Amino acid sequence: MLEITGVVAGYGRGDVLHGVSLSVPEDGVSAVLGHNGAGKSTLLRTALGLLRPREGRVLLDGEDITRLPAHRRVRRGMAYVPQGQQSFPQLTAMENLRLVADGRKDGHAALAEALDLFPALRGAAGRRAGLLSGGQRQQLALARALITRPRLLLLDEPTEGIQPSVVAEIQRTVLELSGRGGLSVLLVEQHVGFALRAAGRYYVLEAGRVTSSGAGDADAEQAVRRALSV
Ligand SMILES: Nc1ncnc2c1ncn2[C@@H]1O[C@H](COP(=O)(O)OP(=O)(O)OP(=O)(O)O)[C@@H](O)[C@H]1O
Ligand SMILES: [Mg+2]
């Protein structure tokens, strides 16, 4: 579904990604693992079109979208949950959700479905997003993305800095969503165990290069831990 080939990208004059290639098949999870600063978030920004690569190409359904702006990629079915659970902090959880749902065909049914996935959000619907717990904010960010009914979800460290009980809930939801069919997830994660349980395929990114990749099978965890020395 998504094909990234030989991407060189960065900020200003400095390159962060030095020729990254990966492919995300239809359905299921593809995971990107790597240490802090390896370029994982930069890779997702490039996939969405927030960053324009200096070299290389991004293909969606076989079509070159390297020069397509981000909002048009969203219209094609891509959604992005950035690192750090960004919603509008002054708006309530429900207002944040409505902002996405309003005016969208089927938006309110999608909103109800998103709330079914994250029942905790119902109870917090009237609270300002900025006052929610980290776990609730992450669920809110995921719910906002899902209201657009994406075909391809770019998920940047959805369990970072979140208490363990909520981490398990978010992990369960990601697994459930990706198992339903009709949704591909490109998941950036530092929890190697979870990422590899979820992922059909993994990529290890080190200093802007893919240094190993493979199927997310029983042997993968050891290979990844060796590659990352974790
Ligand atoms: N907006 C920016 N402007 C300039 N440099 C940036 C910017 N964002 C990231 N960088 C730099 O790009 C490199 C890769 O950052 P990136 O955020 O992609 O790493 P990451 O793998 O997502 O790390 P983490 O695990 O900490 O989230 C880092 O050296 C970082 O300092
Ligand atoms: Mg990051």
Side-chain angles (χ1 to χ4, degrees):
M1 168 177 271
L2 183 77
E3 198 85 40
I4 290 174
T5 55
V7 157
V8 178
Y11 308 91
R13 282 163 184 231
D15 293 332
V16 171
L17 304 176
H18 305 281
V20 171
S21 300
L22 62 79
S23 78
V24 179
E26 262 176 54
D27 295 346
V29 178
S30 304
V32 175
L33 297 142
H35 291 300
N36 294 122
K40 305 181 298 296
S41 297
T42 302
L43 178 61
L44 288 196
R45 286 184 205 123
T46 308
L48 188 71
L50 299 175
L51 268 182
R52 196 59 61 83
R54 287 204 309 108
E55 282 175 39
R57 301 199 304 161
V58 181
L59 307 179
L60 183 66
D61 304 320
E63 191 188 326
D64 192 330
I65 58 162
T66 313
R67 313 217 139 261
L68 200 68
H71 70 274
R72 297 203 29 209
R73 299 187 199 198
V74 170
R75 226 178 285 157
R76 296 265 192 105
M78 294 174 75
Y80 171 49
V81 180
Q83 197 168 0
Q85 315 120 28
Q86 291 166 16
S87 292
F88 295 100
Q90 302 298 334
L91 300 183
T92 67
M94 186 54 94
E95 285 167 343
N96 268 286
L97 295 171
R98 287 214 182 105
L99 213 56
V100 184
D102 282 351
R104 188 177 287 278
K105 189 168 139 267
D106 219 17
H108 286 86
L111 194 160
E113 275 171 39
L115 286 176
D116 288 343
L117 270 177
F118 301 109
L121 287 182
R122 284 194 196 278
R127 298 197 73 195
R128 284 188 189 185
L131 299 178
L132 299 179
S133 71
Q136 289 170 327
R137 278 205 302 275
Q138 185 63 60
Q139 292 175 328
L140 178 60
L142 269 164
R144 294 183 67 203
L146 292 172
I147 289 173
T148 67
R149 297 198 193 280
R151 296 187 300 133
L152 174 61
L153 184 59
L154 309 172
L155 214 48
D156 199 348
E157 302 211 32
T159 61
E160 187 190 25
I162 289 173
Q163 70 181 65
S165 63
V166 184
V167 166
E169 203 175 318
I170 289 172
Q171 292 180 343
R172 204 166 46 240
T173 309
V174 171
L175 285 171
E176 189 193 317
L177 285 170
S178 61
R180 281 184 188 174
L183 178 69
S184 307
V185 180
L186 182 55
L187 172 71
V188 166
E189 253 301 336
Q190 302 229 13
H191 286 101
V192 175
F194 160 57
L196 293 175
R197 267 199 312 285
R201 191 159 185 83
Y202 74 85
Y203 297 86
V204 173
L205 195 63
E206 289 181 277
R209 290 185 169 84
V210 173
T211 52
S212 69
S213 65
D217 57 20
D219 299 329
E221 181 157 350
Q222 219 185 350
V224 169
R225 289 195 188 280
R226 205 177 313 117
L228 290 173
S229 313
V230 291

